[in-house]
Amino acid sequence: MSPFINFSEAPEKIKQHYVLSRYIEDSGVELKQMGREAVGLCPFKEEKTPSFSVNDEKGVYLCRGCGATGDIITYVAESTGVSQGRAIRLLAEKMGYQIRSESDRQGEKGRKASTSINRASRSDMIEVHDHTAQVAHAYLLCVLSDPQHPVSRYLKQRAFGPNLVKRYGLGFLPSDSPLWSHISGSSAYNAQPTSFSAPHWRTLAQESGLLKDRHQVSMFQGRLLFPITNGDGRCVAFSGRVVPGMESTAIMPDRKYLNSPESFIFSKSQTLYGVTPWHATLNHEGVREAWRRIKSANRVVAVEGVTDVLRIAELDTWAVASLGTAITQTHIALLFRFADTICMLTDGDSAGIAASERALLIGFSQLSAGKRFVAAHLPQKEDPDTYFQGVVQCPNPCEHFWHLISGLPHAQPEQVWFDRVIGMVNSPVSIGDAVLIDQALSEGAPVSLPSDAHWRVAILRYVYDRTGYCPAGIGHNGVRGTVYPAHEQRWVLDDAARFWLYRVARAPFILPELFAGKLDAWWSKDIRAGLLASEIDCPPAFRILVRAAQHIRDSGTKISTGDHWPVLADALMQAGAPSSLVITWSQVLSDGDGAMATLGYGDEALVPDLWVAEFQEWAESIIAAFSRTLDQAVNRPALSPS
């Protein structure tokens, strides 16, 4: 029996036990010792010049190209696609330890009986599935040597070559004998028979759905098997397809595909096929590199079937599939852990479009800066197998694939959200429309909005672009914005802010000219709604001047060329500007700390036309920065090859 180790103690023991460079070399990365560090090509990106270094004394690695860094636990998590917690468990198990959580240490005393099973039983169930997958995979590799075998013919017909078989661990077991005989007997495809007793093994197989009731032959025998993995890369379920020409030997041959039932180790709502490579396949030459390559692009395609995953993988592109259930929030959260862009690819019929729109709405609240979610629709009566046929022969199949995807009809989450939640509105919007829009943006709306600040700004812009109505801003922490948020009651001004406030105070009549024709622009509305309040996004002077110009315009105040600061200050107060803004501006003009005089602005000649031109040039650079920031964070998914 393996010795126990507490989870909190495991990381330190792991780092003491493993030599990082040796572990990384064993995973397939070539390293060359240079002084105190070992250097090689980065395993997380494509490169020709080595920028990846490992320091065994410190137990850390660093890529000076992409910035990847960490210890052995981080390396296992990043290279295999599992969480750091799972990486700790995997490394501890290789050392011969069994992780014990805090609840385990409390013992079983006082626990009420329930329908759940303990950790050891779950581990045994996974072992039964994992071993079955290994035997089936080894059997299929033997079968491939016979080109006349129905499975070989089917794989050849579908153009699924040996590399794909190895990468995804496909398997096959004949149905002419009980599953137990394949698992318990020593053979060319089962070098290490199970150590479980027959009764215990059958109980575990029945509990996990591998065997049904008292049947001795599994419903997955006689089918092409696709192992479904958990986050540790262990097999916890199967998807099986009837092999043409072998229908008579399969259980329930009328069902082309069969998936494992839900069990203590497998939940369809939390699992996707193709997310994590099956650990046993990583021993095949080139498989680890193939997985690293397709996942390093940070883009994933969600498709409908397991064979669609293989077809797209053949194009050097990462794909996943749900298993007999609709996409869930858990699925989307799982994919966003490993990818920045999710493209859901469905049929172009009404059912496919409806399914993709449901997924976009489910994932809407999970969007954050740099995370993109889009749905693309294939033409009717097309599937990935037919639509992308021949792409693999192209010089760069991945680039060509994304080129084809970019040309398909597609939907964005904000578009689907607007159409479903708000729908048609009048132009200009009526009072009822305005109420409907505000409700859609409220915290109690039927579809939750992203909490990310950049996405919230983008949503307001999208609503304004489609309706011409500028709703109240969505403030920080989900609080609806006000015209002057509390965090702007105290203005912190830099020299640039003082410079422009000083100039406008000397010549107040230029204020309306600074923003002529621009006060209805999206960025102006966002500023007045309390958004773009970060000093990084928008300089304080720009925000003050935007709001001051709006107050002057709305109040209808006329300022002539002979007027000075007192007239502007009075007009702002009469128009409802907060006293904090006027007081801050007055302090700049009084130059109490002598900053303006030190910089020479007090003696600057009054040249209003030049000031207006200089300000507008400055304003254009700020507005361009607004757009760049938002585009980088929430621009519509780039379904381009790059």
Side-chain angles (χ1 to χ4, degrees):
M1 179 175 291
S2 301
F4 284 100
I5 184 175
N6 295 331
F7 188 85
S8 59
E9 300 170 353
E12 188 61 33
K13 287 188 176 293
I14 287 169
K15 294 172 187 177
Q16 292 175 357
H17 176 81
Y18 290 101
V19 177
L20 182 57
S21 63
R22 189 177 304 161
Y23 187 94
I24 293 175
E25 283 184 309
D26 289 343
S27 71
V29 180
E30 292 186 10
L31 299 174
K32 181 181 292 186
Q33 197 68 36
M34 297 182 65
R36 293 185 176 182
E37 296 185 341
V39 179
L41 297 177
C42 179
F44 304 111
K45 69 174 186 2
E46 296 285 349
E47 66 176 7
K48 296 181 179 179
T49 304
S51 61
F52 183 78
S53 61
V54 182
N55 188 313
D56 285 330
E57 291 182 11
K58 298 180 180 178
V60 296
Y61 64 85
L62 169 66
C63 176
R64 292 173 173 82
C66 67
T69 185
D71 54 23
I72 186 169
I73 296 169
T74 310
Y75 179 81
V76 172
E78 294 296 326
S79 62
T80 61
V82 302
S83 68
Q84 293 217 2
R86 290 192 177 101
I88 291 171
R89 293 184 183 277
L90 289 172
L91 290 165
E93 287 174 5
K94 286 186 177 182
M95 293 166 59
Y97 286 107
Q98 186 174 339
I99 293 288
R100 180 171 58 181
S101 65
E102 183 64 28
S103 58
D104 293 329
R105 290 196 294 133
Q106 298 299 325
E108 297 296 327
K109 294 181 180 180
R111 291 187 180 178
K112 295 181 180 179
S114 68
T115 57
S116 63
I117 60 175
N118 61 34
R119 187 189 303 276
S121 296
R122 290 175 188 269
S123 178
D124 287 349
M125 281 187 185
I126 294 173
E127 177 59 33
V128 166
H129 266 81
D130 212 50
H131 185 212
T132 301
Q134 292 182 52
V135 173
H137 181 55
Y139 190 98
L140 178 58
L141 293 180
C142 293
V143 164
L144 292 180
S145 62
D146 178 7
Q148 299 307 313
H149 194 285
V151 179
S152 298
R153 290 203 304 268
Y154 172 71
L155 291 171
K156 183 177 181 181
Q157 174 196 348
R158 296 298 302 272
F160 295 151
N163 288 337
L164 279 181
V165 170
K166 293 176 181 177
R167 187 190 303 182
Y168 285 88
L170 304 191
F172 175 82
L173 285 175
S175 57
D176 56 1
S177 57
L179 181 59
W180 169 250
S181 65
H182 291 289
I183 301 304
S184 61
S186 179
S187 64
Y189 53 89
N190 188 21
Q192 294 182 320
T194 180
S195 59
F196 293 132
S197 66
H200 183 50
W201 181 91
R202 287 195 181 95
T203 299
L204 295 169
Q206 289 169 351
E207 286 284 350
S208 59
L210 195 55
L211 288 177
K212 186 172 178 61
D213 301 326
R214 295 184 178 275
H215 292 286
Q216 301 299 307
V217 176
S218 172
M219 62 182 178
F220 293 109
Q221 289 177 247
R223 292 173 179 266
L224 181 64
L225 295 185
F226 301 80
I228 299 164
T229 61
N230 63 9
D232 293 334
R234 303 289 298 279
C235 177
V236 294
F238 290 103
S239 181
R241 191 204 189 280
V242 168
V243 178
M246 301 187 71
E247 292 87 350
S248 61
T249 67
I251 297 175
M252 293 185 284
D254 56 314
R255 295 181 60 179
K256 183 184 292 186
Y257 284 94
L258 283 178
N259 292 328
S260 292
E262 299 247 334
S263 69
F264 293 113
I265 59 173
F266 172 56
S267 170
K268 294 180 181 179
S269 64
Q270 300 180 33
T271 310
L272 290 165
Y273 176 70
V275 173
T276 305
W278 182 38
H279 72 98
T281 67
L282 297 179
N283 296 324
H284 291 308
E285 183 179 356
V287 167
R288 188 186 296 273
E289 170 59 22
W291 275 101
R292 186 205 63 76
R293 187 172 61 252
I294 66 172
K295 296 185 79 170
S296 65
N298 287 324
R299 297 183 295 191
V300 61
V301 183
V303 291
E304 297 180 0
V306 292
T307 54
D308 295 334
V309 171
L310 268 65
R311 175 61 63 232
I312 292 174
E314 194 178 31
L315 308 179
D316 230 11
T317 301
W318 182 26
V320 299
S322 58
L323 298 159
T325 186
I327 294 290
T328 66
Q329 283 191 340
T330 303
H331 290 150
I332 295 168
L334 177 65
L335 293 179
F336 271 144
R337 281 177 50 200
F338 305 117
D340 293 333
T341 298
I342 303 172
C343 174
M344 188 172 179
L345 184 62
T346 66
D347 294 339
D349 57 18
S350 57
I353 293 174
S356 66
E357 290 185 347
R358 283 195 298 272
L360 290 175
L361 290 178
I362 289 171
F364 195 37
S365 63
Q366 298 191 45
L367 297 175
S368 59
K371 299 295 184 182
R372 302 177 171 107
F373 191 12
V374 62
H377 306 127
L378 290 166
Q380 292 195 35
K381 299 183 179 180
E382 292 274 13
D383 58 30
D385 216 15
T386 58
Y387 192 74
F388 301 113
Q389 193 172 30
V391 174
V392 71
Q393 277 79 40
C394 295
N396 189 333
C398 179
E399 180 177 347
H400 195 65
F401 168 82
W402 286 106
H403 176 73
L404 291 175
I405 288 287
S406 66
L408 292 173
H410 54 274
Q412 309 288 341
E414 66 270 29
Q415 167 205 334
V416 175
W417 165 79
F418 186 96
D419 292 341
R420 292 284 191 91
V421 180
I422 298 175
M424 297 292 294
V425 296
N426 297 290
S427 182
V429 297
S430 65
I431 294 176
D433 293 333
V435 172
L436 176 63
I437 292 171
D438 286 338
Q439 287 177 340
L441 293 166
S442 69
E443 296 305 312
V447 176
S448 299
L449 300 176
S451 59
D452 180 77
H454 288 98
W455 263 104
R456 292 198 164 207
V457 172
I459 293 165
L460 293 182
R461 290 179 61 187
Y462 184 79
V463 170
Y464 175 70
D465 289 342
R466 287 193 60 169
T467 67
Y469 171 70
C470 185
I474 304 174
H476 298 276
N477 300 320
V479 179
R480 294 183 66 75
T482 58
V483 176
Y484 288 94
H487 61 273
E488 290 192 359
Q489 293 300 313
R490 296 182 63 187
W491 299 87
V492 179
L493 305 181
D494 56 15
D495 287 343
R498 294 171 179 269
F499 170 59
W500 280 109
L501 294 179
Y502 191 85
R503 275 185 165 182
V504 174
R506 291 184 62 199
F509 60 91
I510 71 171
L511 181 59
E513 296 181 52
L514 300 182
F515 300 98
K518 297 179 179 178
L519 287 178
D520 291 325
W522 66 266
W523 47 266
S524 176
K525 294 175 183 292
D526 286 345
I527 288 173
R528 300 198 308 276
L531 299 165
L532 298 176
S534 167
E535 294 179 23
I536 297 175
D537 289 332
C538 181
F542 196 77
R543 295 203 305 278
I544 291 175
L545 291 172
V546 166
R547 289 179 171 168
Q550 182 65 33
H551 281 303
I552 296 300
R553 187 185 76 169
D554 291 349
S555 67
T557 303
K558 302 296 182 182
I559 302 177
S560 65
T561 55
D563 291 329
H564 298 291
W565 166 247
V567 176
L568 176 57
D570 182 69
L572 289 173
M573 294 298 289
Q574 292 296 327
S579 58
S580 62
L581 185 150
V582 179
I583 291 171
T584 298
W585 205 334
S586 297
Q587 291 172 342
V588 171
L589 187 62
S590 66
D591 198 21
D593 59 3
M596 295 296 99
T598 301
L599 295 172
Y601 296 143
D603 299 325
E604 185 183 28
L606 191 67
V607 191
D609 291 342
L610 177 62
W611 293 356
V612 170
E614 289 180 351
F615 180 88
Q616 290 177 343
E617 183 178 350
W618 182 55
E620 289 301 323
S621 68
I622 294 172
I623 296 165
F626 291 162
S627 297
R628 282 196 302 272
T629 300
L630 290 172
D631 287 344
Q632 290 171 2
V634 297
N635 192 20
R636 296 180 180 182
L639 296 180
S640 59
S642 59

